[in-house]
Amino acid sequence: MDEDFKSAEHFTALGNIYFGHKDICTLRIWNFLTHCWDDNQLDNERQIFCGNIETVPTKEKAKFPQHFFPECKWSRKGFMRTRWEINGTAIDLVNIHLFHDASNLAACEDFPSVYCKTRRRALIHTIERFHLDDKNGSVPFFLFGDFNFRCDTAGVVKELTTNLTAHRLQSVKNESTKINYRNTDGNNILTVGKKEFSHADHQLKFKELWLKEFDKELAPLSEFLVEYPINFIPSYPFEEDPEMPTDYMSTRCPSWCDRILMSPQVKDIIDTDEWTYDMIGESVCMGDHKPIYLTVRLKPNKGSTKPTCLVKTLDSLKTLMNQTLVDESLWREQSNVDDAGIPPSPTSSRYVVVKAISSSINVPGEENCVDNLEAENGVLLKETTV
């Protein structure tokens, strides 16, 4: 458990719990300091490492380079890796946490979005690091965690807004912006803001099969990462209210953020016909992310990856990284844009005063908001048809 939050250089907040079933004949864990199996590490029945775990040799842990962070703030995103030999078969188990989408509006600008490119960049960096690790070698790996993979937001919005009219709603006081997509009757069908994504049929629409078509982030990495078919609903963002365990929050487009991926070499060490890939707690409050689980059956006494297989992989990774890299200044600028994707040249604008439903509710914006227009006990908004 990486719990030392005071260590800005190392803290990832990642934690892993491993249970070895009593039916396992032989079980060993890898020492990343001595670069060999630690035969004495598992003599005790239970071991717990928490707090500051920098000196624990049976894990490899790292944060992503600071220049990977789209908002120029070094957060705790990174990975933690352990290696196990189970009945003579070696595997790496890697817990990873990738970057989120800071703004729905910026994510709507294009696909892949600036956030998608940043996640891809971090994934390539991680896989490349494993393949270049001469001291520890390479074995088949399972890569799991909160990848923060998002659906093609631009494509989803286009799909949902056919025959709808876009209206930009902007607060004159604080310049916050959102877009309402309305039907011919003037009803809001979809609202997109920096941290708002709300559909008129929000709780059913995103559980339908059509959305899977827009789950595209993993496609460019299919040569390096494989996944079993997904037959569960998007794992994020669920309400954290225990009374609403199956409802999505209207903050982000529901997406399959939480995944369990594998290196292609895993197919050589598992029984491919025996697997289950599904969601835990679909009808129970589990937080904003629903956990995902994978069960597979490992074959015993399988060797490591042949080094000759890695040369082609490294070349392909380098090519993909070069395709993903963008101009750094543009990358930083895009990641902080709130109004990305909003067309210019509005056709018409009007000011709307939004008032509280009760005089006891304190609504900001009671002073003059623009020129001589006054929003008495309300907030003045500028609405533009785009």
Side-chain angles (χ1 to χ4, degrees), residues 37 135 176 178 183 190 207 213 228 245 263 265 276 290:
W37 296 109
K135 293 182 178 179
S176 63
K178 62 181 180 181
N183 60 19
L190 179 69
K207 295 177 182 178
E213 175 188 344
Y228 280 103
S263 62
Q265 293 76 23
T276 307
K290 297 285 189 184

Side-chain angles (χ1 to χ4, degrees), residues 104-118:
N104 293 324
L105 294 169
C108 281
E109 187 176 42
D110 197 9
F111 184 84
S113 70
V114 61
Y115 310 117
C116 174
K117 290 178 180 178
T118 305

